[in-house]
Amino acid sequence: MARFGNVAELATFLGKLDADYAEYAPALWQKGIRTPRQLANFSEPHYSACDVPEGHIDDIKARADTTGSAIVSRDVHEQTRSKRLADAMSRIDTPSSYAKSIERQAELATGKVFNCYRSSQRPIPLALLYPFFDTFFWNASDTADLQQRDTLFTLELCQKMQGFVGKESRRELDFGTLFRDYLQGILPATKIKHQIKGKSIIDIQLQVQIAKQWVTLIYIEVKHEAGHSGDAQQEGMAYHFQDVKEMGFMTKWHTLNPALLLTVVGPTVRAFGLCVDATLTGICEPLSQAMDMLIIPHIPDAITKLASLFHAMPDLVQALRAHYEEAAVETRKLIFMSPSKEQLPYPLWDPDKWTESCQLGARSHKLVYLARGPQQPLQLVKFTQQYGVEAHDAWARAGIVPELLAEPRQVAQRWQQISMEYLAPEKPDSSGWFTMRFLMQSVAKQAQHAPESLTLAPDHLPQMFERAKHLVRSAHKVIVSDSYAAHGDVRPDNIMVRVKDNAVMDLKLIDMDWAGVVGTARYPSLLNTKTIIWPQGVGPGQLLQQAHDLELLQLQVSPDTRYAEVSWRKMVTYSLELSDMDVDT
């Protein structure tokens, strides 16, 4: 039978079971553990006396065979893990006891967990679901209103966190104690629970009592170091989702269960917003950068910035409390044009202003909606952080773009609400407005198979391209803020074409997010350069030029580009000549 010669050998054996378990070796050695058989037969009370969490006890006992050899096979580990997942609602071990980052990522089944693009994470940013998240984002970076208590707390916290910490539980205790004293001095009606025994609970949580029920507003997950015992962000999401399911907020209170998650990984801290939407999808959105809890003399403002993060938390707690108090007694009524369960941005929640609301199209990552107010026509409502309002207004007066139906409205602090005319298709006679991309694909795919169903006759394509070129040139001639403007994204997707009797009747530009005055407006930092071929000179942060608009249109409609279908190449030989695309100013 294998026998441990010293505490180091015992720690090595436990570390092979799981990296977290090695820290239990000194206490177990003191209790007389010398063989794997003793590990397998050691009683749970004795394990608890050695500060081994309950969830870890089951795993150690299951994988240390009475024959004296450690069981590390995949089958046994999967059996143990499956058992834990099966009784998740009644008693679930801490995710860190069995879930490494790759395992938790697979369980969540969300793919790109750390990809914050809306198309892979969520349809709506948290700031458009609950404005207090956006307020927290700004307050967390505002150092103007800092109090002395904020700075003193941050200094003491840094002194604790930057020192050597032998155990993860020690870091949890230090952070939790200081955080409790700081917040409860400001928010006396709150309760902060600190958990270090591995129960089915987050490491630290701040709770308030709403309708005779304790509701967690802040979750804090602490890790000794990055990747040491699972991923703090994903485990925080799992605990929040577990609370939502167990307490039934979705059905009782009609809320998306907003909360704040703090991840403490070594001497760094980061804030995330949490929600669970109507499709039972967990949402975790970063609200701050990862910030060092270190005292760095040559970067004195690091303490001030960190203090601002904590200074913003009391106001967020009060806003979260107010939300749950309202949600506990009032049902927010949303009227949809279709039986979709999709959520709407909060500006569309007002039933006095909007009687019907739904998302436009199947591309859920686009924040574009159809809405109708009392005795009002259907309109298109768009939410964006950047928009060429001046260019849109000037071009609308010239009939080049849809008409603005209201002044742009500031939503939260980072978003604008743009309401405009809706260019709708008119069915069933296949007339109305369509994107140029749709018409191009329609001709390419249907001409040989169902010519009677064509929205646009193939011989009208050259006319459509010529008129699109003329439309762009007309936009370039319009005075915008005593100068001239460029669109920045003149692709077939952003040109609307009105068709009647298989002929082109009118064209308009849409999607003026980047549009602006030439020499001032710039392309965004996040520019798709992987799947879109841009003209030379276009790049993240580069200045917009009118020549780019016409060159991009040429690249997109030419049959020689890689965007064209094979059938398109065979059928259409028309192309725009770059020599004809001079820029009139």
Side-chain angles (χ1 to χ4, degrees), residues 286-405:
L287 298 178
S288 76
Q289 299 288 336
M291 307 180 74
D292 291 328
M293 293 181 287
L294 302 172
I295 298 176
I296 308 175
H298 58 278
I299 312 179
D301 62 340
I303 295 294
T304 304
K305 292 179 179 179
L306 182 59
S308 299
L309 176 67
F310 294 105
H311 175 75
M313 289 184 190
D315 287 344
L316 178 62
V317 170
Q318 298 287 24
L320 288 167
R321 183 206 298 267
H323 164 75
Y324 282 105
E325 288 174 344
E326 178 184 359
V329 297
E330 178 182 331
T331 301
R332 191 180 304 279
K333 186 177 182 181
L334 302 181
I335 304 176
F336 294 93
M337 296 174 64
S338 65
S340 171
K341 293 183 178 180
E342 196 163 357
Q343 299 302 314
L344 299 172
Y346 75 86
L348 298 179
W349 290 356
D350 187 353
D352 296 329
K353 186 172 182 181
W354 305 105
T355 57
E356 296 176 310
S357 300
C358 74
Q359 191 162 29
L360 176 65
R363 298 178 64 185
S364 61
H365 65 287
K366 292 290 186 181
L367 300 174
V368 181
Y369 302 84
L370 293 180
R372 191 197 312 272
Q375 300 179 345
Q376 291 182 354
L378 194 63
Q379 58 185 278
L380 187 142
V381 181
K382 181 174 186 174
F383 296 89
T384 179
Q385 292 180 290
Q386 176 184 344
Y387 200 77
V389 175
E390 294 180 343
H392 190 141
D393 188 53
W395 290 344
R397 290 195 298 270
I400 296 171
V401 299
E403 178 185 357
L404 287 174
L405 300 181

Side-chain angles (χ1 to χ4, degrees), residues 171-244:
R171 190 179 295 279
E172 293 174 17
L173 181 62
D174 290 344
F175 188 94
T177 301
L178 291 174
F179 188 75
R180 179 195 61 208
D181 295 343
Y182 169 69
L183 272 194
Q184 287 191 333
I186 308 171
L187 303 168
T190 59
K191 177 175 69 174
I192 295 183
K193 296 175 64 176
H194 182 211
Q195 175 65 38
I196 61 174
K197 290 297 182 182
K199 300 287 185 179
S200 177
I201 193 172
I202 196 80
D203 292 335
I204 307 165
Q205 55 187 328
L206 180 143
Q207 297 180 320
V208 297
Q209 194 169 30
I210 307 291
K212 299 181 180 180
Q213 192 167 7
W214 285 99
V215 181
T216 301
L217 304 185
I218 299 180
Y219 293 80
I220 304 176
E221 181 66 23
V222 180
K223 296 296 176 188
H224 197 36
E225 59 182 276
H228 181 67
S229 56
D231 182 80
Q233 176 188 349
Q234 296 180 45
E235 289 177 24
M237 291 172 63
Y239 282 122
H240 175 244
F241 187 77
Q242 174 182 302
D243 285 350
V244 170

